[in-house]
Amino acid sequence: MNEDPVVQATGAVPDGTGPSPAADALSHAGALLQVRDVRKVYGEGHTEVVAVSDATMAVDEGEFVALLGPSGSGKTTLISIIGGLLSATSGTVRIGDVEVTGMSRRDLTRFRAERVGFVFQSANLVPFLTARENLLYVAGLVKTPRAAAKSRADQLLEELGLIGRAGNLPEQLSGGERQRVAIGRALMNDPDLVLVDEPTAALDTAMGRQVVELLRREIKARGKTGIMVTHDLRMVEYTDRVFEILDGELTHVEEPSTLGH
Amino acid sequence: MLAIREFQRGLGRFSAIVSALGLLVFLVLILGALADGLFYGATGAVRSTSATAYAFDDEAEGSLVRSRLTEVDVAILAQAPGVEQAGPVGVLLTGGEGPQGTLSLSVFGIDMGSAGTPTTLVEGRLPDPGESGVVAADERLTDEGVVLGSTIAVGDVTAEVVGLVADASYQLQPSVWTSVATWRAMRDAVRPELRGQPDGINAVALVTTPGASLSEIAAAAPGITVLSAEATGLAIPGVEQQSSTLNSIIYTTLAVAALVVALFFALLVLEKRELFAALKALGASTSRLGGGVIVQAAVASVLGVVLGTVVARLFGLVIPPQVPTLFRTDTLVTIAVFTVVAGIVGAVFSLRRIARIDPATAIGGVL
């Protein structure tokens, strides 16, 4: 496949503010997302495994950060706790004025529908709904009026370059197009936080770059907060800051450029 | 939206469950038609008259043909408390001659106008009280060429058909209704061993007052048992056994339908586990996803009922007339309701499976 045109046009260096000052990277008041001393332990006694060990991080509104780590490092566990999919053994997660770690399952379901957008590894679109219907489905979860939902879906599809594909089923779309529909779906309910799980895992490099570039643009344009889990260093350049997790230990990377291998 | 769209765009897959349900409904409807055909064919003569109860001798076990009473019993029972009317009933199962040859007949001798008079006249008239040599015939006999004015012969006794009555078969044999005198003449013609019983009848038809106690009536006449008309129908040899056997098959088949639906949706949910996990992560509740599955099961069941009904009715057209079948709307409605309920019950088993899907599995996946 050819080099991605979007990346060529904008250059390889992403726009945005770049890494924040280190002083308040891990914890500061007023951040949209505040993770404090989050710990997740599986099993008991000899079989005890610490998946995440006292993680603390803060991400401001409008920031797009990477959570980097190899397989089994705990990044999936941490992002699941932040997204309200998994309960922490201890510690707190706050998104805006809401403490996620204290919510019931039922409240969490509604909270995710209203305030969190997810982009999964393999798009995970509903195979029997068209691109537009996939967006409308999540709008239905928060009871958005039909007409408003439809115009928002079309607007998103337009921005994502998919308006001509709105009536297509996922099986009629390419991998990159599917992932773009998934981005639209994540943004459909105007969430505060967008969590992205290895968005490029099922894509080739050029397509992967195009998708992450688009993701960044959409998140930045809307002033959303984004966290992208990845093990792919090449995608880090599109983010403002990088957190690295290794064996459950979370660290803020001061100089992403030093991450080259 | 999700559930219906999946149905529309996955017609191939859902046609499997609709066809399976359609076949089961077809089977149940045919069994139901046979059960109804047997029941109504066997009991018409005791359901389609003015009688609300019948009196038998104690040894008859509720069988009209086995019972032996006399006209004296009619007079005794007419005086019993709670009896408005009492009329003699003579029954003869025999062969006869019609316009197109031999007929299987059940001949009923009654006092026209008294208890036990047919209430389902569809053409012509009933014989007048005391009128001999004429009959009202079961309309099923029109298949054998019998029309108003035809002559029916039993032995050397002939009678003219003056009326037709509906739903009046007895033990699947079409009936003719005549005076006690004509019936007795026919009986004596074909059953010489019963001659010399000038006042012998089989049973006494009763019209009772609402709320009358049948056991009190029986107590007024020693050696006599009284059964309601409904119980008399069920006491006809084989009727209750046939009904319960066929109903057992019907309800077992409906249970199988529930099982088929349960398995189908269990597989469907298993296949969509990953998708459901993702949708739960996006904020879809278990009840929303489960509701969709229930809706799909209900739609599949309704379509299965429609398909099965169409096939059963078409099949009904080729069932030979000798096989007693009866397609009744209330049986269809009952079976339709049971099928849809069975379908929904089957799908309910998937709810636990959906509830157990962990939205956290949507993240991580292959890496």
Side-chain angles (χ1 to χ4, degrees):
Chain A
M1 189 173 280
N2 290 332
E3 186 69 358
D4 174 49
V6 178
V7 175
Q8 277 176 344
T10 58
V13 179
D15 53 21
T17 56
S20 299
D24 54 4
L26 292 179
S27 167
H28 62 107
L32 179 101
L33 170 70
Q34 295 199 41
V35 176
R36 209 178 282 274
D37 302 324
V38 164
R39 187 177 175 82
K40 181 68 179 179
V41 180
Y42 292 106
E44 285 175 38
H46 319 299
T47 59
E48 185 176 288
V49 175
V50 179
V52 175
S53 164
D54 302 313
T56 294
M57 67 191 283
V59 183
D60 280 328
E61 200 171 315
E63 269 195 301
F64 183 36
V65 305
L67 182 57
L68 189 69
S71 178
S73 59
K75 61 187 194 299
T76 298
T77 304
L78 181 57
I79 198 90
S80 299
I81 292 170
I82 291 172
L85 296 172
L86 204 60
S87 60
T89 308
S90 62
T92 57
V93 173
R94 291 183 76 86
I95 297 174
D97 52 353
V98 181
E99 188 177 325
V100 178
T101 29
M103 292 170 90
S104 70
R105 280 172 76 104
R106 180 182 293 265
D107 289 345
L108 274 174
T109 301
R110 205 178 64 228
F111 179 77
R112 288 198 301 270
E114 289 172 354
R115 314 252 325 243
V116 184
F118 286 94
V119 179
F120 306 110
Q121 247 176 61
S122 49
N124 246 330
L125 300 177
V126 181
F128 40 82
L129 296 183
T130 64
R132 181 188 283 121
E133 287 167 349
N134 263 284
L135 268 58
L136 294 176
Y137 178 72
V138 291
L141 297 179
V142 295
K143 301 188 169 62
T144 312
R146 184 88 187 149
K150 199 168 174 307
S151 78
R152 179 165 173 83
D154 284 348
Q155 186 205 332
L156 277 166
L157 290 169
E158 177 85 56
E159 282 178 32
L160 295 163
L162 287 167
I163 195 68
R165 314 287 271 155
N168 286 72
L169 294 172
E171 63 179 15
Q172 298 163 321
L173 302 174
S174 71
E177 286 172 327
R178 282 202 283 267
Q179 206 51 290
R180 272 145 66 194
V181 176
I183 293 170
R185 181 173 67 177
L187 294 168
M188 187 65 195
N189 289 346
D190 202 20
D192 298 324
L193 185 65
V194 179
L195 301 178
V196 187
D197 178 33
E198 301 274 8
T200 60
L203 304 176
D204 62 39
T205 309
M207 192 64 84
R209 284 181 177 279
Q210 196 185 341
V211 164
V212 176
E213 163 72 26
L214 187 64
L215 192 58
R216 173 185 175 81
R217 206 175 68 206
E218 290 295 327
I219 287 175
K220 285 287 175 185
R222 291 184 156 71
K224 301 297 170 202
T225 302
I227 302 178
M228 176 172 67
V229 165
T230 187
H231 72 292
D232 187 350
L233 276 169
R234 290 165 301 181
M235 300 303 155
V236 164
E237 62 183 274
Y238 295 98
T239 60
D240 298 330
R241 288 195 289 146
V242 178
F243 291 90
E244 190 170 27
I245 188 164
L246 206 60
D247 296 331
E249 300 283 348
L250 183 72
T251 50
H252 180 241
V253 180
E254 307 294 340
E255 298 287 336
S257 54
T258 64
L259 283 166
H261 293 287
Chain B
M1 171 169 109
L2 198 67
I4 298 302
R5 281 277 188 274
E6 181 178 16
F7 215 112
Q8 286 173 337
R9 297 199 175 125
L11 274 184
R13 135 182 329 194
F14 283 99
S15 67
I17 185 69
V18 170
S19 314
L21 281 172
L23 280 174
L24 290 170
V25 170
F26 161 72
L27 176 63
V28 167
L29 283 177
I30 293 297
L31 289 170
L34 287 169
D36 285 344
L38 284 171
F39 179 78
Y40 285 86
T43 62
V46 293
R47 283 183 296 102
S48 301
T49 78
S50 62
T52 55
Y54 288 87
F56 309 88
D57 77 47
D58 278 345
E59 270 89 62
E61 293 175 2
S63 165
L64 286 174
V65 281
R66 207 181 295 163
S67 177
R68 294 277 180 272
L69 296 178
T70 65
E71 299 204 16
V72 176
D73 299 309
V74 179
I76 296 170
L77 285 161
Q79 303 302 317
V83 174
E84 284 181 358
Q85 276 187 330
V89 180
V91 185
L92 174 67
L93 296 177
T94 182
E97 287 288 324
Q100 292 177 0
T102 56
L103 304 170
S104 282
L105 293 176
S106 51
V107 180
F108 279 78
I110 57 171
D111 274 358
M112 290 293 165
S114 181
T117 304
T119 52
T120 54
L121 185 73
V122 289
E123 209 184 328
R125 62 174 180 88
L126 292 175
D128 289 325
E131 185 182 11
S132 284
V134 293
V135 298
D138 190 334
E139 67 172 347
R140 275 178 62 202
L141 286 170
T142 56
D143 292 341
E144 311 282 343
V146 172
V147 293
L148 293 187
S150 295
T151 300
I152 287 175
V154 174
D156 56 359
V157 180
T158 60
E160 185 197 346
V161 176
V162 296
L164 294 175
V165 291
D167 185 22
S169 304
Y170 180 71
Q171 294 197 17
L172 302 177
Q173 303 210 30
S175 56
V176 293
W177 302 76
T178 187
S179 66
V180 173
T182 306
W183 162 77
R184 199 170 282 137
M186 289 176 171
R187 184 198 69 182
D188 289 351
V190 293
R191 295 277 172 80
E193 75 276 14
L194 294 176
R195 283 176 196 162
Q197 296 183 19
D199 69 344
I201 54 171
N202 292 96
V204 179
L206 303 172
V207 176
T208 54
T209 55
S213 158
L214 299 183
S215 52
E216 272 180 36
I217 297 171
I224 281 179
T225 304
V226 179
L227 294 178
S228 69
E230 192 185 351
T232 304
L234 291 174
I236 294 170
V239 165
E240 198 163 12
Q241 294 84 338
Q242 282 161 0
S243 290
S244 55
T245 302
L246 285 166
N247 282 334
S248 308
I249 300 175
I250 288 170
Y251 290 115
T252 307
T253 310
L254 287 171
V256 169
L259 207 63
V260 167
V261 172
L263 280 174
F264 178 81
F265 282 99
L267 283 177
L268 210 60
V269 169
L270 200 66
E271 189 185 271
K272 290 194 293 190
R273 212 172 22 184
E274 202 184 327
L275 175 64
F276 278 180
L279 294 179
K280 279 186 161 189
L282 293 174
S285 60
T286 295
S287 54
R288 176 183 282 262
L289 297 174
V293 171
I294 301 286
V295 166
Q296 287 177 341
V299 171
S301 306
V302 168
L303 292 178
V305 167
V306 171
L307 178 69
T309 306
V310 169
V311 176
R313 295 312 284 262
L314 290 176
F315 189 75
L317 298 177
V318 299
I319 295 177
Q322 300 90 306
V323 181
T325 50
L326 185 64
F327 289 93
R328 288 172 48 85
T329 308
D330 53 357
T331 304
L332 171 64
V333 169
T334 308
I335 287 171
V337 168
F338 269 86
T339 305
V340 174
V341 169
I344 290 171
V345 167
V348 163
F349 286 102
S350 295
L351 294 186
R352 212 164 47 101
R353 210 175 272 273
I354 294 173
R356 281 208 306 255
I357 293 175
D358 182 356
T361 57
I363 294 211
V366 292
L367 289 173

